[in-house]
Amino acid sequence: MDSVVSFTILGLFTGAAYAIAASGLVLTYTTTRVFNIAHGALGMVMAFIFWDFSQRQGLPTWLALVLVLGVVAPATGWAIQRFVTRGLGEGPVSVTLVVTVGLLVGCIGLATQVWPPESRTPLPLFNGSGVELSNTYVTAHQLITVLLAGMVALLLYLLLTRTRIGTAMRASVDNPELLKLFGGKPDRVAGLAWAIGTSLAALGGILLTPVVGLSYYDLTLLVINAYAAAMLGRLRSLPLTLVGAMGLGILQSYAVAYLPSDGLLSGIRSAMPALFLFAVIVLMPQAQLRVGQVKGIVSAPLPSRTRQLGADVALVALVALLTAWLPGSSLLLVGMAATYAMVMLSLVLLTGYGGHVSLAQFTFAGIGALVYAKLGEPTLSGLLLSALVAAAVGAVVAIPVLRLTGLYLALSTLAFGLLMDKMIFQAEFAFGTNNSLDAERLTILGTSFSSLGGYVLVMTFFLVLMAFAVLALRRGALGRLLIAMRDSPAACGTLGLDTRWFRVGLFALSAGMAGIAGGLFAGLRGTIGASDFQVLASLPLLLLAVVFGVTSVTGAVLGGTGLMLLPVLQSTNPSLAGLIFGLVGFGAVALGRDPNCLANRLFTLGRALRAQVRTPVRRPSESYQDRPEVTEEVPAHVAS
Amino acid sequence: MSLLEVDDDVVVRFGGVTAVDHASFTAGTGLVTGLIGPNGAGKTTCFNVISGLLRPAKGTVRFHGRDVTSTPVHRRAKRGMGRTFQRLEAFGSLSVRDNVRAAVDINRGLGGLLTPGHRSQAARVDALLDRVGLTHYAAERADAIPTGTARLLELARCLAADPALLLLDEPSSGLNESETEAFGVLLRELAADGRGVLMVEHDMDLVMSVCDTIHALDFGRVIASGAPAEIRGDAAVQRAYLGKADVGQVA
């Protein structure tokens, strides 16, 4: 009985820290409609700054706390709102997600650059003091955390209900334009909300560091805990968020206390926030289809079939040349690039055409790789089966969030990735924690592609086939429906399309493509482990896909090459490794608003060059350059 | 039994605001029914309840005599309900032709997508574009055409499913005078085909000239129902409109 009480108290303390972070998340989301995935990452950076001030530079703890919470964090939050996230709330959810994921990756890169990995021991506040509470020793730090959570709740309540600017904050939730007409200043309100929100992220991070340690990733993933708690209040209600945070803290504490520390159930401890989140989502009521002004999106143009064929032949020829010349280690890199390009192609389908964001695409590749390695059947049917399993899992992820809209779906994929990582991939029946599995290379129609060169060429063929499939789908009726769904789900629904199952199908297809990439990757590497498919690896993948252009096959191929080069660049410049990683993030922050990005700029350049070469006669087809996404007017039966 | 029955006093609340307050009305086959009322009277909310985008707190929607109150949006569409939107929901990144094509594809269902039949399909798309007079715009991007034209596009998209009931939300706004006149003729034809048309409309000349029956809403309540002449002379309707006008002058 006593142990229940003491674990409840412990849980309340962690819950209080979650509550502080979560209320910051709710505040920023409700006032600006921008969900800040980097909320945890900002808390992480602030916790490092606090450590730097208080322990490395030896400032008094209270001064460091005041400096971080009162100056650095609010200034950062204000600047982010002012220069990064302003105006994102009215745009598509996918853009918001990409920009804030960029911020997250940038924060991690920055932190690893400024504070390189080493052992650091963050000290609790009032180290050494504490009290005895019903046979449980409670540290002063824990007491303070609970007190602070109460204070934050009270102050937020007073701010929102008793002050002018608080009223303006609540008004801007409903209609910032109207607020402006009545003399309010939505920008100032938003800036203040982000300043406070970031401060709360910092406080949550600082309070948690003595428990979870000064870790780049654990604190960054705090956003999932905060999100799970906030979902109980549907990202709006602060009281329910507090309840959610406390409940999550207590559940986690019980999991540590009463679940076995080995076997399948051991993963539950670290996966508790994700499980909690799924439970809340499943219990949420059906979301309505949103009706609102639809804006078309200008996407990269579809290539003509001849140009597509030419590019494919050129790619295969290039790789064939490379296999003849390059040494094995570099060839491996070419294979990696092909893997990444295939996973990015699955994102072209899902994000570029469909408008949905997956933050765990690499996890689906991991499932494909796991099944492929476990099956031990290095044939086409083995590969196909791996893809099917990945697709089935993709559908299973999409089904509970069927009833919800874009943002929730994307955030749930992040939770899902974490769940897979902790509970499946690291489990003994799968890859195992520090273990790896062996996988053989493919045998197709009796021909074994066991040499690296031959195998890389086979991978390139798969990439080209996938590109063909994606473009064929885009040109056909299904592609048209994909775009229609992205533009207006409400119209699709009233025309008779079951938008929910269509979305599940899209998710499954995209996961299956990633699964094929994973299976091929397993064969390429020969040995694979859980560390190859960590959930956070999906984030740079998404960012590079968007930076290089997530609406075109060219973008995916270039992005795949870029992602392959990233660790190469890092290992050749180890002192700048964090900075290089951070640049990917901040690059996405700068470029993430345009999903066509670099690939489309290349196309524009190419058209300009061709126009220079050709005689300047106006051709009717030139009008396509202004409205690229209109599909060819040739009816399909004429062309086929 | 009417084609559409909004019955048992439908209620929709948004927070503290009651957008639809115990409303009941009907729309019949072969008739053009008008739904009028000042801004904020709850017309579009009624449409959202009828088409299934919104669940009412109370009340029943019957279609073909069957209770569809909890039927999902797409299944109501399959049973013969088509609607257009006050705030446009055209597929902006697709061409006008592809908008209609997508509607035809949705109507054929997933099985239809996998079977051939492109030729009859193309003819059907052309016929639909021709019916609403959009043949010239076929190749334009849907987000680049004028608002009035986009409303006609939404109508063409609806007609792909050959619905028994058309819900048109302010279909004539954005059309000029001669276009509105032509649109009135089209509306009568659509009703004469054996369809029910329920229309939210602010253009009183159009409403009075084409509607068989009119329901007037104010603050979510049905304040009058009847033929155009009766509605025109109804004291409550005049108060609802003129009352608003008075407030407007003061402000």
Side-chain angles (χ1 to χ4, degrees):
Chain A
M1 196 58 216
D2 276 353
S3 70
V4 174
V5 174
S6 55
F7 279 113
T8 308
I9 292 174
L10 275 178
L12 279 179
F13 147 68
T14 352
Y18 293 162
I20 292 171
S23 47
L25 190 66
V26 170
L27 189 68
T28 50
Y29 178 69
T30 49
T31 46
T32 58
R33 295 220 165 260
V34 176
F35 187 91
N36 185 12
I37 291 191
H39 194 68
L42 285 171
M44 179 267 294
V45 170
M46 293 303 151
F48 268 99
I49 294 178
F50 174 70
W51 172 86
D52 199 286
F53 283 0
S54 64
Q55 289 182 40
R56 202 169 69 130
Q57 303 183 23
L59 294 182
T61 307
W62 67 268
L63 182 61
L65 208 55
V66 167
L67 278 180
V68 172
L69 298 181
V71 182
V72 183
T76 313
W78 179 85
I80 289 174
Q81 198 283 324
R82 178 74 182 71
F83 300 110
V84 177
T85 61
R86 191 151 78 158
L88 278 182
E90 291 102 62
V93 173
S94 54
V95 173
T96 319
L97 285 168
V98 168
V99 170
T100 52
V101 166
L103 207 55
L104 182 157
V105 169
C107 280
I108 292 180
L110 192 72
T112 38
Q113 183 66 40
V114 180
W115 301 281
E118 62 175 70
S119 150
R120 300 184 179 85
T121 336
L123 296 174
L125 305 175
F126 299 101
N127 195 14
S129 40
V131 289
E132 196 83 17
L133 244 173
S134 73
N135 294 333
T136 312
Y137 182 74
V138 180
T139 64
H141 181 91
Q142 291 170 326
L143 275 181
I144 285 177
T145 306
V146 176
L147 283 179
L148 281 174
M151 247 174 68
V152 164
L154 185 70
L155 287 177
L156 279 181
Y157 172 78
L158 290 178
L159 173 78
L160 288 174
T161 55
R162 296 292 152 86
T163 64
R164 237 184 108 74
I165 191 126
T167 314
M169 273 182 180
R170 285 186 295 147
S172 83
V173 175
D174 293 322
N175 195 333
E177 284 308 306
L178 204 61
L179 178 64
K180 211 183 280 176
L181 289 178
F182 280 98
K185 295 191 175 59
D187 273 341
R188 185 185 292 177
V189 169
L192 182 70
W194 276 74
I196 298 175
T198 310
S199 232
L200 292 177
L203 184 56
I206 290 169
L207 289 172
L208 277 172
T209 38
V211 188
V212 299
L214 260 178
S215 140
Y216 309 113
Y217 299 106
D218 289 348
L219 282 173
T220 297
L221 288 174
L222 175 64
V223 70
I224 295 205
N225 305 27
Y227 169 60
M231 273 300 274
L232 197 67
R234 307 196 72 181
L235 295 180
R236 283 174 168 272
S237 152
L238 280 173
L240 277 177
T241 301
L242 292 188
V243 173
M246 293 299 182
L248 178 59
I250 291 172
L251 274 178
Q252 249 183 330
S253 172
Y254 287 170
V256 171
Y258 301 114
L259 289 178
S261 56
D262 56 341
L264 178 60
L265 291 176
S266 65
I268 291 185
R269 298 157 156 224
S270 38
M272 189 51 94
L275 287 171
F276 184 86
L277 178 64
F278 273 114
V280 174
I281 283 177
V282 168
L283 293 176
M284 271 179 74
Q286 168 91 50
Q288 306 291 347
L289 285 174
R290 250 181 72 189
V291 183
Q293 198 88 37
V294 181
K295 278 203 188 104
I297 298 170
V298 177
S299 292
L302 277 171
S304 69
R305 285 187 170 81
T306 40
R307 187 164 295 152
Q308 181 193 343
L309 198 65
D312 290 339
V313 171
L315 182 67
V316 174
L318 177 70
V319 174
L321 277 179
L322 289 178
T323 53
W325 285 343
L326 285 181
S329 60
S330 311
L331 259 182
L332 198 63
L333 290 177
V334 177
M336 302 274 278
T339 309
Y340 296 148
M342 277 185 265
V343 182
M344 284 184 185
L345 266 182
S346 74
L347 282 178
V348 168
L349 186 69
L350 184 72
T351 310
Y353 298 162
H356 290 292
V357 176
S358 160
L359 300 175
Q361 208 60 8
F362 228 58
T363 304
F364 294 117
I367 293 168
L370 177 63
V371 175
Y372 182 83
K374 277 283 173 189
L375 273 178
E377 195 185 297
T379 58
L380 274 184
S381 50
L383 187 63
L384 195 67
L385 200 59
S386 320
L388 282 178
V389 172
V393 176
V396 169
V397 180
I399 285 172
V401 284
L402 258 188
R403 300 161 302 142
L404 308 172
T405 43
L407 174 70
Y408 303 115
L409 183 57
L411 293 173
S412 306
T413 57
L414 187 61
F416 158 76
L418 195 68
L419 206 67
M420 286 300 292
D421 194 10
K422 303 278 187 204
M423 285 191 65
I424 308 288
F425 288 168
Q426 293 185 17
E428 286 312 313
F429 67 85
F431 295 122
T433 318
N434 288 314
N435 256 323
S436 56
L437 287 176
D438 294 333
E440 274 180 60
R441 287 182 182 151
L442 272 182
T443 304
I444 301 172
L445 301 173
T447 319
S448 167
F449 291 91
S450 53
S451 82
L452 187 57
Y455 191 76
V456 168
L457 210 53
V458 167
M459 290 183 81
T460 314
F461 267 117
F462 270 98
L463 173 62
V464 165
L465 276 180
M466 246 186 225
F468 250 99
V470 166
L471 283 173
L473 186 131
R474 171 66 187 83
R475 288 195 177 100
L478 274 174
R480 210 154 40 225
L481 287 188
L482 266 184
I483 309 279
M485 267 281 291
R486 184 190 68 195
D487 281 359
S488 170
C492 283
T494 55
L495 288 172
L497 184 72
D498 190 344
T499 51
R500 301 170 309 166
W501 289 104
F502 196 78
R503 199 165 57 187
V504 171
L506 172 66
F507 232 81
L509 188 59
S510 158
M513 286 171 64
I516 291 187
L520 287 170
F521 175 74
L524 175 77
R525 292 279 299 270
T527 50
I528 43 163
S531 59
D532 290 321
F533 305 103
Q534 275 170 354
V535 59
L536 284 173
S538 296
L539 300 184
L541 179 95
L542 172 71
L543 295 184
L544 281 180
V546 170
V547 165
F548 282 94
V550 77
T551 56
S552 65
V553 171
T554 313
V557 174
L558 292 178
T561 315
L563 189 60
M564 173 274 287
L565 286 175
L566 186 64
V568 177
L569 271 176
Q570 283 181 315
S571 58
T572 46
N573 307 289
S575 61
L576 295 175
L579 192 66
I580 292 168
F581 194 70
L583 275 180
V584 170
F586 294 127
V589 168
L591 300 170
R593 287 181 192 233
D594 174 13
N596 307 313
C597 250
L598 295 182
N600 210 21
R601 285 180 202 174
L602 267 181
F603 297 147
T604 317
L605 189 71
R607 278 195 297 268
L609 286 177
R610 279 198 299 279
Q612 288 280 315
V613 174
R614 280 185 198 149
T615 46
V617 178
R618 269 191 77 84
R619 290 148 42 91
S621 68
E622 274 179 331
S623 60
Y624 278 113
Q625 295 170 10
D626 304 325
R627 39 182 111 90
E629 200 157 88
V630 174
T631 41
E632 302 133 288
E633 286 311 310
V634 188
H637 67 275
V638 177
S640 59
Chain B
M1 179 195 86
S2 290
L3 175 63
L4 173 76
E5 293 164 285
V6 176
D7 207 358
D8 302 332
D9 296 338
V10 166
V11 175
V12 178
R13 291 193 191 91
F14 298 122
V17 181
T18 306
V20 179
D21 192 1
H22 299 88
S24 300
F25 56 87
T26 61
T29 305
L31 301 176
V32 178
T33 308
L35 199 58
I36 63 167
N39 287 327
K43 303 177 299 281
T44 297
T45 309
C46 277
F47 263 34
N48 286 343
V49 168
I50 297 169
S51 61
L53 289 172
L54 206 61
R55 277 279 191 89
K58 179 183 175 304
T60 316
V61 179
R62 269 190 294 276
F63 185 49
H64 288 305
R66 285 166 72 182
D67 184 348
V68 293
T69 318
S70 52
T71 309
V73 181
H74 65 276
R75 224 166 277 150
R76 294 190 206 199
K78 290 278 182 222
R79 288 190 192 165
M81 238 188 231
R83 82 165 278 187
T84 65
F85 294 85
Q86 181 190 7
R87 297 181 69 185
L88 291 174
E89 294 277 339
F91 306 130
S93 348
L94 294 176
S95 70
V96 168
R97 181 191 298 280
D98 277 350
N99 262 264
V100 180
R101 265 192 193 169
V104 170
D105 287 337
I106 290 173
N107 189 237
R108 280 177 6 131
L110 206 58
L113 289 181
L114 304 175
T115 53
H118 292 294
R119 199 176 293 271
S120 61
Q121 205 78 335
R124 174 133 182 73
V125 171
D126 286 339
L128 286 166
L129 286 171
D130 184 52
R131 176 131 207 206
V132 298
L134 285 188
T135 310
H136 291 306
Y137 286 102
E140 301 281 334
R141 254 177 84 109
D143 58 4
I145 58 176
T147 313
T149 316
R151 293 189 190 283
L152 293 174
L153 170 60
E154 287 199 3
L155 175 58
R157 245 175 18 183
C158 280
L159 290 175
D162 198 14
L165 174 68
L166 273 172
L167 303 162
L168 306 179
D169 202 342
E170 298 194 17
S172 86
S173 74
L175 296 179
N176 66 27
E177 220 167 295
S178 65
E179 285 167 336
T180 306
E181 212 165 287
F183 180 69
V185 174
L186 177 63
L187 276 181
R188 291 303 331 174
E189 285 174 13
L190 290 170
D193 287 350
R195 268 178 249 280
V197 178
L198 179 63
M199 165 171 83
V200 167
E201 187 49 69
H202 279 302
D203 182 336
M204 279 307 137
D205 291 338
L206 179 68
V207 170
M208 292 298 166
S209 62
V210 303
C211 288
D212 300 290
T213 315
I214 296 171
H215 306 290
L217 287 180
D218 194 26
F219 292 110
R221 294 170 183 274
V222 180
I223 54 169
S225 292
E230 295 169 47
I231 295 295
R232 205 194 296 267
D234 189 281
V237 175
Q238 286 180 352
R239 216 176 308 122
Y241 274 88
L242 295 176
K244 288 274 161 171
D246 283 346
V247 172
Q249 276 161 13
V250 172

